[in-house]
Amino acid sequence: MQGWHELRHKQLWTGPRRGLNLPPVSLKKESKMIQNHLPSYLHPEQLGAWGIYLEQIDRVAPYLGHLSRWIETLKRPKRILIVDVPIELDNGTVAHFEGYRVQHNTSRGPGKGGVRFHQDVTLYEVMALSAWMSVKNAAVNLPFGGAKGGVRVDPRTLSRGELERVTRRYTSEIGLIIGPTKDIPAPDVNTNEQIMAWMMDTYSMNEGATATGVVTGKPIALGGSLGRKDATGRGVFTVAEEAARRIGLDLKGARVAVQGLGNVGGVAARLFAQAGSRVVAVQDHAGTVYNEAGLDVPALLAHVAQHGSVQGFGSAESLSMDRFWQVPCDILVPAALEQQITAANAHQIQARMVIEGANGPTTPEADDILHERGILVVPDVIANAGGVTVSYFEWVQDFSSFFWSEDEINARLVRIMREAFESIWKVADEHKVSLRTATFIIACTRMLQARELRGLYP
Ligand code: GLU
């Protein structure tokens, strides 16, 4: 059986970059053209997710007018920190893990973005994820730049004590560049509110003062926000509602397939089921379950909580991993990891629309195939922006030490998501481009406007 981790490695983006390749532009019109060299840490043959991001930037460049003069800014992260994370294991030996924090852009505000713990995390992946955070935050107009962090570790192999030591040492190492007004981490793949509590404590101990605003996605008892846990899934559901309405799809009775039943996919599946949709297929790292009449989502979530996977869930057919992409459905929600929808499976997809719950689940080639086949793709940079939007609410509440009700938070979240979706839809219509390019047009314009206004230092 081929899990998505293996697929991911085979399908890393390695091809030549297509699309418009703008010549590098000199900073002063009158000065001679200076060749912008590739940073030395880039290996053009193994760019992975970063290569996909660069291609997305090339596609948006023709729409940026005079601001395209600054486009190189978006192709280079502002700051990259690689740290060694040594910890003593329970058996007395010392293990070293590699950690990263990348601040892609801070033109519009402090860096903001999650931290993932995963055995396959690479620098290029974190670079791409940090850039997608910049785009996402600008797309929904949050006053943040973009950042992301990661530790190359499989947290399932660690005891609770070891996990705490990895988290604390990593936080201490990146403590040089994070802070409530500098860069604010949050949960991502395999990190949760307990890990945020340890990060907050470690940073605070080093600072000598409790700094709740240094991370978001914290437990409620430590300055976390109501509604944060469900926010990404709720945002996914909200944009699905908006997109469905525009293509004349009734969510009641619509067939939904979800990849990943974690914090994003699990909540989205629950909300779709509550809206009367039929969640017909769910895939996680270990298996795929299918029921044409609709899976019992609360029972499936309970099964996953108990057994760690959808595998073995009763009243459902078990499918091979590849078959998931062929399932007849109206809405497909990839809510797991990057590069899942590729040139190899995009032709098989039966959905009317794809709502990207995960970051970077569709390769540019697959994007083109889906577009040609008339399948609407709502890109990650808007579809999963609900999480960071409520992170922003949490950060604001921590600063003011005044906390809002859950209804207030959900209402503000839905409003922001709907307004952002509406403007993206308009730009897509105006320029006859995909929703992804439209989102990039809005976001990159905001980032580069800020860049231009601030000017270069010194
Ligand atoms: N990790 C989430 C994301 O990819 C949330 C980031 C945040 O809240 O800062 O959007």
Side-chain angles (χ1 to χ4, degrees), residues 178-180 183-185 199-200 203-204 211-216 218 395:
I178 63 168
D183 177 5
I184 306 114
M199 289 187 78
M200 189 277 263
Y203 180 85
S204 298
T212 53
V214 66
V215 290
T216 58
K218 298 178 295 292
W395 182 73

Side-chain angles (χ1 to χ4, degrees), residues 87-158:
I87 64 151
E88 188 170 327
L89 298 176
D90 293 346
N91 66 12
T93 61
V94 175
H96 290 256
F97 302 99
E98 194 167 298
Y100 318 98
R101 185 72 186 170
V102 178
Q103 294 169 351
H104 172 259
N105 189 283
T106 56
S107 295
R108 302 177 64 258
K112 182 84 191 85
V115 171
R116 68 174 52 179
F117 286 178
H118 197 281
Q119 60 278 15
D120 298 329
V121 164
T122 65
L123 175 61
Y124 290 141
E125 181 180 354
V126 178
M127 282 161 60
L129 291 164
S130 71
W132 286 325
M133 284 311 302
S134 301
V135 175
K136 193 185 303 186
N137 293 333
V140 281
N141 216 359
L142 305 178
F144 290 136
K148 200 85 176 196
V151 179
R152 266 175 87 82
V153 63
D154 181 355
R156 290 171 305 187
T157 63
L158 301 180

Side-chain angles (χ1 to χ4, degrees), residues 15 17 36-37 72 85 97 116 148 151-152 198 200 214 227 270 299 323 340 360 376 383 392 397 401 418 431 440 442:
R17 284 174 42 204
N36 282 309
H37 294 290
E72 192 69 22
V85 183
F97 302 99
R116 68 174 52 179
K148 200 85 176 196
V151 179
R152 266 175 87 82
W198 290 327
M200 189 277 263
V214 66
R270 203 187 71 218
R323 280 277 307 284
Q340 298 300 301
L376 181 68
Y392 165 57
Q397 292 170 85
S401 298
R418 284 193 181 145
H431 294 289
F440 270 70
I442 292 175

